[in-house]
Amino acid sequence: MKIDLTDTTSSKINKALVKGRRAIGTPAVGMVLTLVIVTDEENAYDALKAANEASREHPSRTLVVIKRVSRSPRDRTKSRLDAEVRVGAEAGTGETVVLRLYGEVINHAQSVVLPLLLPDAPTVVWWPVDAPLDPANDPLGALAQRRVTDTYAAEQPVHELEARAESYAPGDTDLSWTRITPWRSMLAAALDQVTCDVTSVEVEGEEFNPSCELLAMWLADRLDVPVRRSLSAGPGLTGVRLESTCGPIVLDRADGTLATLSIQGQPDRAVALKRRETSELIAEELRRLDPDDTYAAALRFGVDRLGEPEDQKTVPESVSSAASAAPAAASAQKAAAKKAPAKKAPAKKAPAKKATTK
């Protein structure tokens, strides 16, 4: 059932929700949380589809906040709220309200959302795109116990991670972190099977994928070893190589579906590491609403501590001096070789001068 409301208020939307529940024969509210999705018109469909699929596991009231851009200065001064109320089969296993904000009301979205929150139930705010740099201090983020962003959708994911580290507050999380949950579980299980010490790590993945940086920072924080980030054609994360005192431990996924786990002295094993849909990621995040301390520690480790700076610290001084001396010696030999023919040139011209005098 769908109810369209034009130029409405939060009070009328609540009445429409009650009316819709009675019309389909379910007057009781059986939802466990409120999911607020802050997005634009372009990404609203995909975000709402993912939320509806996740509602099968977490029945919730979904509020989609779409801030419409006014075309003229006159329209910007006019405030209007349009709503689309969905209950029953069109809203998954919960309720859905699509809110379209126009004019000045865009700057006061929290005033529209607050009366629509479920009482005595947690609130989760999700920004599929264009998340604020400080979600906890955002007017809508301040209403939630859990704030979900996605740095993969940012134009500069690495810089976005740095901003997230500076503004982190308990309750913040990232879908780029959720994507590497199977990788972290598989690597932890692999390390439980050996008694060796890890000496270095290499994380391989496509460029501009923040999940690779987050996995590298998690490994560096937990293992306290140098971690290098290398690039590949993808898709996503393609491999992790851990050098240990007992030999290499390699988790390789070249096709984005099936991975191979190789441990020294053991047969190779095929493990499922399929790239998951957004609905699965959101469902995982809604299972826990407490602060994720592991994510906070990995995020605060810092992207700038990965790669070459860490590798240079581990190179012995004698090796680095020998390496720097080798190019200098090679360049000196080349210079000497170039100068040698120039000195012998006058000796060849001498016989030619004597022949002309005769």
Side-chain angles (χ1 to χ4, degrees):
M1 182 178 180
K2 184 191 300 184
I3 303 174
D4 290 327
L5 302 173
T6 303
D7 197 5
T8 185
T9 62
S10 299
S11 177
K12 294 179 181 179
I13 295 173
N14 270 320
K15 292 179 181 179
L17 286 170
V18 176
K19 179 181 177 181
R21 286 198 301 268
R22 289 176 177 173
I24 63 175
T26 57
V29 179
M31 289 157 287
V32 298
L33 58 90
T34 303
L35 176 62
V36 182
I37 304 175
V38 187
T39 183
D40 53 16
E41 201 72 60
E42 180 183 358
N43 298 278
Y45 175 80
D46 293 333
L48 186 55
K49 181 181 178 182
N52 287 340
E53 293 178 0
S55 68
R56 299 173 184 173
E57 183 178 345
H58 309 279
S60 59
R61 174 178 289 181
T62 303
L63 306 177
V64 184
V65 179
I66 302 176
K67 300 179 180 181
R68 298 297 298 269
V69 179
S70 301
R71 296 183 178 180
S72 65
R74 182 181 300 175
D75 292 337
R76 296 190 189 102
T77 60
K78 298 179 181 178
S79 298
R80 194 177 91 225
L81 171 63
D82 294 344
E84 186 179 312
V85 179
R86 304 178 186 178
V87 293
E90 295 186 2
T93 59
E95 300 172 343
T96 300
V97 181
V98 181
L99 304 169
R100 289 182 171 87
L101 283 61
Y102 301 82
E104 289 294 331
V105 73
I106 291 178
N107 301 323
H108 306 281
Q110 71 279 6
S111 301
V112 177
V113 171
L114 185 59
L116 301 176
L117 300 179
L118 289 173
D120 301 326
T123 301
V124 179
V125 177
W126 171 32
W127 291 270
V129 293
D130 299 330
L133 294 180
D134 192 354
N137 289 326
D138 182 82
L140 285 173
L143 302 176
Q145 289 77 30
R146 192 78 162 172
R147 296 164 294 275
V148 184
T149 58
D150 191 358
T151 52
Y152 187 77
E155 293 184 3
Q156 297 180 330
V158 175
H159 293 167
E160 195 84 1
L161 285 177
E162 296 175 352
R164 293 280 176 269
E166 294 178 0
S167 63
Y168 174 81
D172 292 353
T173 190
D174 194 333
L175 291 187
S176 296
W177 171 257
T178 315
R179 291 184 180 96
I180 62 174
T181 299
W183 285 83
R184 294 189 293 118
S185 302
M186 194 59 61
L187 291 172
L191 291 175
D192 286 341
Q193 302 178 31
V194 298
T195 58
C196 309
D197 294 331
V198 178
T199 57
S200 64
V201 179
E202 179 181 0
V203 176
E204 183 185 65
E206 64 182 357
E207 193 174 5
F208 306 118
N209 191 324
S211 295
C212 302
E213 272 76 18
L214 284 170
L215 182 60
M217 290 189 290
W218 174 71
L219 289 169
D221 178 66
R222 289 294 171 178
L223 299 176
D224 195 21
V225 296
V227 178
R228 187 168 67 92
R229 166 80 160 91
S230 59
L231 301 180
S232 68
L237 267 165
T238 55
V240 177
R241 182 182 181 88
L242 293 84
E243 297 291 346
S244 69
T245 54
C246 298
I249 301 173
V250 181
L251 183 59
D252 182 73
R253 186 190 68 178
D255 59 354
T257 303
L258 195 65
T260 303
L261 177 61
S262 303
I263 301 178
Q264 188 75 17
Q266 299 182 17
D268 293 350
R269 283 165 284 182
V271 295
L273 276 181
K274 180 183 177 182
R275 304 190 73 191
R276 298 182 294 170
E277 299 292 336
T278 306
S279 57
E280 300 177 64
L281 303 177
I282 286 294
E284 179 183 330
E285 285 300 331
L286 295 181
R287 292 188 197 118
R288 54 174 302 176
L289 300 178
D290 58 318
D292 193 343
D293 296 332
T294 307
Y295 165 70
L299 188 64
R300 288 169 174 166
F301 181 83
V303 182
D304 55 342
R305 297 176 62 184
L306 299 175
E308 293 299 328
E310 287 292 332
D311 294 341
Q312 293 174 0
K313 293 178 183 178
T314 59
V315 177
E317 185 177 357
S318 58
V319 177
S320 59
S321 60
S324 59
S331 60
Q333 291 178 358
K334 290 181 181 180
K338 291 180 181 179
K339 292 179 181 179
K343 293 179 180 179
K344 294 180 180 179
K348 292 181 180 179
K349 293 181 181 179
K353 292 181 179 179
K354 292 180 180 180
T356 53
T357 54
K358 290 179 181 180

